[in-house]
């Protein structure tokens, strides 16, 4: 059974209660069942297996969610409970079989063309857990490839684990979309992903998304989280047309997931994409998150480049604006004053960046005087 089938609002709790051998007419049981099936994403196989756990007496209906969230991987992998309706594989094992089948396609491919789709499919499966499970845009990979300025092949040679199949470009510098779409089609054929109506975005069922994450080792989580962050970073260009703003808005859920996952992995470098992620957060008015990243950028550049380097001064300027946006006026004025002095000293008083800092500082100080 490979298909990821979702049940409707009425069928799902009824299946859970039947599988758990509980009274389907009980309103109390139904209320508890509704919460459980929502957490399981209305996925029939997962609901069936949850019912088998409850029927075994090992867990109860009213504490199943606590147990599930604490021990998700064990529960979904355990072969001891095969579902009240006779499913012959635990939920995670079902998807593991699909993974093995795709890997077998890679090994059985007679040439590179036949291996490419399955290879890309596996690379997508490895980085997708570090994106949000919905709205995974083809444009993320297209922009990441085209913004890389030919660096992908060099990095692939330096590290054969680099996900180069996702970021291949043609000789003219444009992204090679065919191999990526072949990978998505492979995943669609195993029902591991679904395609949104536009056709240029795909999604993973919440439990498939969790399985893809849980199946990775600690070292793999660190490595593939780093790759996902790198792809997201590369996809963000410092351009400011309306389409660029719209793309960064759509990227926010993926950046948030990557940030959360990287904090969970001690083996993930959290330096990748910091400045780019801060840009996306600040444009969305998520000032606290932007500030946290901008402080990292500024401190790193001070340490590596020195306080007077133009890039350090840019990060200082950006952080001052973020502080001002949070009405932290004294801190913003103090930092911008320091930035202006250094820009005047390093760049000269007539440079555009120096003038920008001067105008902002005067405006902020005038506002303080009025209050």
């Amino acid at each position: 059974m490979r298909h990821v089938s979702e049940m409707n609002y009425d069928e799902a709790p009824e299946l859970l209660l039947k599988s758990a051998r509980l009274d389907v007419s009980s309103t109390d049981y139904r209320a508890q069942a509704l919460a459980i099936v929502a957490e399981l994403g209305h996925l029939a196989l997962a609901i069936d297996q949850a019912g088998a756990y409850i029927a075994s007496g090992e867990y109860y209906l009213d504490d199943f969610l606590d147990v599930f969230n604490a021990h998700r991987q064990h529960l979904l992998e355990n072969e001891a409970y095969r579902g009240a309706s006779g499913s012959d594989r635990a939920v995670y094992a079902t998807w593991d079989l699909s993974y093995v089948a795709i890997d077998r396609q890679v090994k059985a491919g007679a040439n590179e063309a036949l291996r490419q789709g399955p290879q890309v499919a596996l690379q997508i499966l490895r980085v997708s857990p570090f994106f949000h499970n919905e709205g995974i845009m083809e444009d993320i990979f297209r922009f990441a490839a085209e913004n890389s300025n030919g660096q992908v092949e060099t990095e692939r040679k330096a590290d054969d684990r680099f996900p180069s199949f996702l970021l291949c470009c043609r000789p003219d510098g444009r992204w090679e979309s065919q191999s990526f779409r072949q990978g998505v089609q492979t995943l669609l054929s195993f029902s591991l992903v679904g395609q949104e109506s536009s056709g240029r975005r795909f999604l993973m069922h919440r439990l498939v998304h969790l399985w893809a994450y849980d199946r990775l080792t600690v070292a793999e989580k660190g490595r593939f989280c780093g790759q996902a962050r790198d792809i997201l970073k590369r996809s963000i260009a410092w351009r400011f047309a309306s389409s660029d703003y719209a793309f960064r808005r759509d990227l926010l859920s993926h950046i948030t997931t990557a940030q959360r996952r990287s904090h969970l992995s001690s083996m993930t470098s959290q330096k990748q994409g910091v400045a780019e992620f801060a840009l996306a957060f600040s444009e969305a008015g998520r000032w606290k998150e932007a500030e946290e990243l901008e402080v990292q950028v500024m401190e790193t550049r001070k340490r590596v480049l020195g306080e007077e380097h133009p890039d350090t001064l840019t990060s200082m300027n950006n952080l001052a604006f973020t502080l001002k946006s949070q009405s932290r006026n004294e801190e913003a004025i103090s930092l911008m004053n320091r930035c202006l002095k250094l820009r005047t000293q390093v760049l000269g008083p007539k440079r555009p960046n120096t003038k920008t800092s001067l105008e902002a500082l005067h405006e902020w100080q005038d506002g303080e005087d009025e209050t």
Side-chain angles (χ1 to χ4, degrees), residues 12-13 16 34-36 58 62 66 92 97 136 149 155 159 168 203 205 245 251 266 276 292 296 304 316 333 363 368:
L16 177 67
L34 283 169
I36 293 172
E58 189 169 343
D62 60 2
D66 290 336
Y92 273 24
L97 289 177
I136 303 176
N149 298 318
E155 294 181 41
D159 182 357
C168 289
L203 55 87
H205 188 280
Y245 287 110
L251 211 59
S266 60
E276 290 81 1
E292 179 184 342
Q296 289 182 44
V304 176
M316 194 180 294
I333 289 171
E363 180 183 337
E368 284 291 283

Side-chain angles (χ1 to χ4, degrees), residues 226-271:
Q227 290 183 1
R229 287 174 64 94
D230 189 57
I231 290 169
L232 291 169
K233 167 189 177 293
R234 291 169 187 264
S235 74
I236 298 173
W238 294 86
R239 296 189 293 262
F240 300 95
S242 58
S243 58
D244 298 311
Y245 287 110
F247 173 72
R248 288 191 286 269
R249 280 196 303 272
D250 287 344
L251 211 59
L252 275 172
S253 63
H254 303 299
I255 293 172
T256 302
T257 300
Q259 284 289 94
R260 177 168 50 83
R261 291 292 199 202
S262 67
H263 287 306
L264 294 174
S265 174
S266 60
M267 301 188 68
T268 303
S269 169
Q270 295 179 23
K271 296 178 182 178

